[in-house]
Amino acid sequence: MRFTYILFLFGLISSSAFGQVMEEVNPPENIKTVVFKGPTEDQFPVIQPGESMTLEFDDLTANEQDYYYKIFHCDYDWTPSQLLKSQYLDGADNQRIIDYENSYTTLQPYSNYRLTIPNENVKLKVTGNYVLEIYNSYGDLQFSRRFVVFRDAVSVAGAVKRSRDFNFINTKQVVQFNINTASFRVVNPKKEVKVAIIQNHQWSTALYNIKPQFTIGTELVYKYNDETSFFGGNEYLNFDTKDLRSPTFAISNIEMRDVYHHYLFTNEYRYDKEYTYYPDINGDFVVRTLQGEDVSREAEYSKVHFSLPYTNQIGLDDVYVIGKFNNYDLGEENRMIFNEETGKFEATLMIKQGFYNYKYVVQREDGTIEPNLVSGNFHFTENNYLILVYYRDFGDMYDSIIGIGSVNSRNISN
């Protein structure tokens, strides 16, 4: 009886451990500028087996403390898969990050860490969803990032359309696409194939659990309207601090104190204005400096000051400054404070030199998030959409990724 009870408890523990969604964890305030790249320039590693990806981050305590990494394989829904580590890793994780160096001649000292995967200790064996976790020497999780590994077994072709719903014809974008499985055997596509659609590399707004609308021969067709639609949003705001001492179009004033302070011009609300196109990098950022050659370890940190006028539409609700630079985190550090003297919401963030995209997001008192209240929604907005194709045959232990596709709304059509 006792043995049966122990097995029952173990089953409960195992099911809760394997059933928990592995969200991205954002770092503490001393860790900044998490850069995670694959073969492309955007900070969203989508790699094939054998391809390399690199993680970089800075520790502003600059005491060269030890950090370790672990790798977890996940299923389609980002819960841990049933695979053992030996089944998805060749080698061992939980290794110390040994490539690190202190910054050179910077006002704000920091230690820069760099990790490349695969490396001499570990390689990835299977495709699918992965989570990379970083721990300190005490075993405390510092932050985590998702990445995906795929193989080219199917092809994906698609386009971005305006919504056919007249209520959203000027504010939404619809992703329509086909999956060609001619070179990959699929018996029951509605059960074996799943897709995820990701706008501008943000997991928080991704669409899941969309089945093929119909099939034509070896083509799986997804020509939905509501099921694959996204609000268009607006182009991101941006600033550039590559030259510490020279104001750019977005920077109104620069002061030198303990570190440089960059004061941005007060931003305007754009929801009630006509859409205007200007190039952005869809929320991303690029570290760069004119004061050195090694941007990872010579770029300075400065305090960047953001401001937004008060409006009754926001009232007492919270406003956040977000972008890829802080992983779109609605945390206390990124929350704006209302300044009664200026009548503005204000925030000051420590940010490494470079070119940055950002936007303002409102969180209502009831927890509702309004990502485009300040910037507005426009169907013209240039957005990138990534389509991931997952496959799981009957009896398989995990969800593999058998193809990817990418479409852009730059050439949106009716």
Side-chain angles (χ1 to χ4, degrees):
M1 182 67 181
R2 175 184 289 181
F3 181 71
T4 304
Y5 181 68
I6 292 173
L7 282 178
F8 174 72
L9 284 180
F10 179 76
L12 286 178
I13 294 169
S14 299
S15 63
S16 63
F18 281 99
Q20 186 173 2
V21 175
M22 299 192 72
E23 303 283 359
E24 290 190 332
V25 175
N26 290 311
E29 291 187 11
N30 62 293
I31 294 179
K32 301 289 186 188
T33 320
V34 178
V35 177
F36 196 21
K37 287 186 176 181
T40 58
E41 284 302 311
D42 52 75
Q43 296 188 47
F44 192 87
V46 179
I47 64 173
Q48 296 192 63
E51 287 186 328
S52 177
M53 60 182 181
T54 303
L55 172 75
E56 281 193 40
F57 62 92
D58 297 334
D59 183 353
L60 301 193
T61 61
N63 59 7
E64 298 186 1
Q65 64 176 305
D66 292 334
Y67 288 101
Y68 299 80
Y69 66 94
K70 295 180 182 179
I71 302 171
F72 297 91
H73 188 269
C74 294
D75 282 329
Y76 170 77
D77 59 0
W78 289 102
T79 58
S81 71
Q82 298 179 36
L83 294 179
L84 301 174
K85 288 219 171 188
S86 59
Q87 292 176 296
Y88 65 84
L89 294 182
D90 182 4
D93 61 351
N94 201 14
Q95 303 285 335
R96 186 169 68 91
I97 300 175
I98 59 175
D99 184 0
Y100 60 90
E101 194 171 344
N102 284 335
S103 57
Y104 314 141
T105 65
T106 54
L107 295 172
Q108 169 62 59
Y110 57 88
S111 299
N112 173 260
Y113 293 79
R114 184 179 296 140
L115 170 67
T116 300
I117 297 173
N119 55 49
E120 60 182 9
N121 294 313
V122 68
K123 296 177 177 60
L124 307 172
K125 295 170 69 173
V126 302
T127 66
N129 291 338
Y130 284 87
V131 174
L132 175 64
E133 294 187 341
I134 304 299
Y135 291 81
N136 63 15
S137 57
Y138 302 102
D140 301 321
L141 177 62
Q142 299 300 286
F143 67 92
S144 65
R145 290 293 181 267
R146 292 174 171 179
F147 67 95
V148 298
V149 181
F150 75 99
R151 61 188 175 110
D152 259 332
V154 300
S155 60
V156 182
V160 180
K161 305 283 188 179
R162 293 182 71 177
S163 175
R164 294 194 296 269
D165 186 334
F166 282 102
N167 294 317
F168 303 107
I169 192 170
N170 294 318
T171 58
K172 278 192 171 185
Q173 299 174 343
V174 180
V175 182
Q176 297 184 351
F177 58 97
N178 295 350
I179 301 173
N180 190 323
T181 63
S183 58
F184 187 86
R185 184 172 178 269
V186 176
V187 177
N188 189 344
K190 291 197 172 184
K191 288 190 175 181
E192 297 172 354
V193 176
K194 297 178 181 178
V195 297
I197 310 172
I198 307 160
Q199 182 190 55
N200 295 334
H201 300 140
Q202 292 186 45
W203 288 111
S204 60
T205 59
L207 297 180
Y208 297 94
N209 298 315
I210 302 162
K211 297 184 183 299
Q213 194 173 22
F214 54 88
T215 61
I216 303 177
T218 59
E219 294 263 338
L220 312 184
V221 181
Y222 298 77
K223 288 205 170 179
Y224 292 104
N225 185 61
D226 296 335
E227 291 86 344
T228 58
S229 66
F230 293 79
F231 280 105
N234 205 339
E235 310 299 344
Y236 279 81
L237 303 167
N238 66 75
F239 64 89
D240 195 342
T241 56
K242 68 178 182 293
D243 189 343
L244 281 171
R245 307 173 189 89
S246 176
T248 61
F249 75 96
I251 299 173
S252 65
N253 184 38
I254 299 175
E255 293 181 5
M256 172 58 185
R257 302 183 212 164
D258 52 337
V259 295
Y260 282 90
H261 288 245
H262 291 92
Y263 291 83
L264 305 185
F265 285 104
T266 299
N267 293 118
E268 298 179 337
Y269 292 84
R270 296 183 289 161
Y271 67 89
D272 58 349
K273 298 186 180 341
E274 292 290 327
Y275 170 79
T276 302
Y277 172 75
Y278 53 89
D280 66 1
I281 51 177
N282 290 328
D284 217 331
F285 69 97
V286 180
V287 177
R288 57 187 186 181
T289 178
L290 297 181
Q291 280 74 42
E293 296 181 357
D294 185 351
V295 296
S296 296
R297 291 157 181 174
E298 292 186 76
E300 272 284 4
Y301 275 86
S302 68
K303 291 187 177 179
V304 181
H305 297 254
F306 301 83
S307 59
L308 185 71
Y310 174 83
T311 174
N312 288 331
Q313 283 187 288
I314 296 177
L316 299 177
D317 294 319
D318 291 329
V319 185
Y320 296 87
V321 183
I322 64 168
K324 187 64 178 180
F325 71 93
N326 59 14
N327 205 35
Y328 309 97
D329 176 34
L330 303 185
E332 187 63 25
E333 183 182 2
N334 306 312
R335 186 171 67 87
M336 306 187 82
I337 304 299
F338 178 66
N339 186 331
E340 293 185 2
E341 294 183 5
T342 61
K344 299 174 183 177
F345 297 103
E346 297 175 351
T348 303
L349 302 178
M350 184 73 96
I351 297 177
K352 202 172 188 177
Q353 276 183 278
F355 179 78
Y356 288 80
N357 277 189
Y358 69 97
K359 67 184 292 186
Y360 298 104
V361 168
V362 176
Q363 185 175 40
R364 296 300 189 186
E365 191 175 359
D366 62 0
T368 303
I369 297 171
E370 298 194 31
N372 300 312
L373 176 66
V374 175
S375 58
N377 282 300
F378 302 92
H379 77 276
F380 291 115
T381 304
E382 182 271 321
N383 291 305
N384 188 69
Y385 295 93
L386 177 68
I387 302 161
L388 302 177
V389 183
Y390 295 78
Y391 175 78
R392 186 167 189 162
D393 197 0
F394 179 77
D396 285 351
M397 295 179 64
Y398 69 97
D399 296 312
S400 61
I401 299 180
I402 58 173
I404 65 169
S406 182
V407 294
N408 193 282
S409 63
R410 192 178 291 110
N411 299 315
I412 191 170
S413 59
N414 292 323

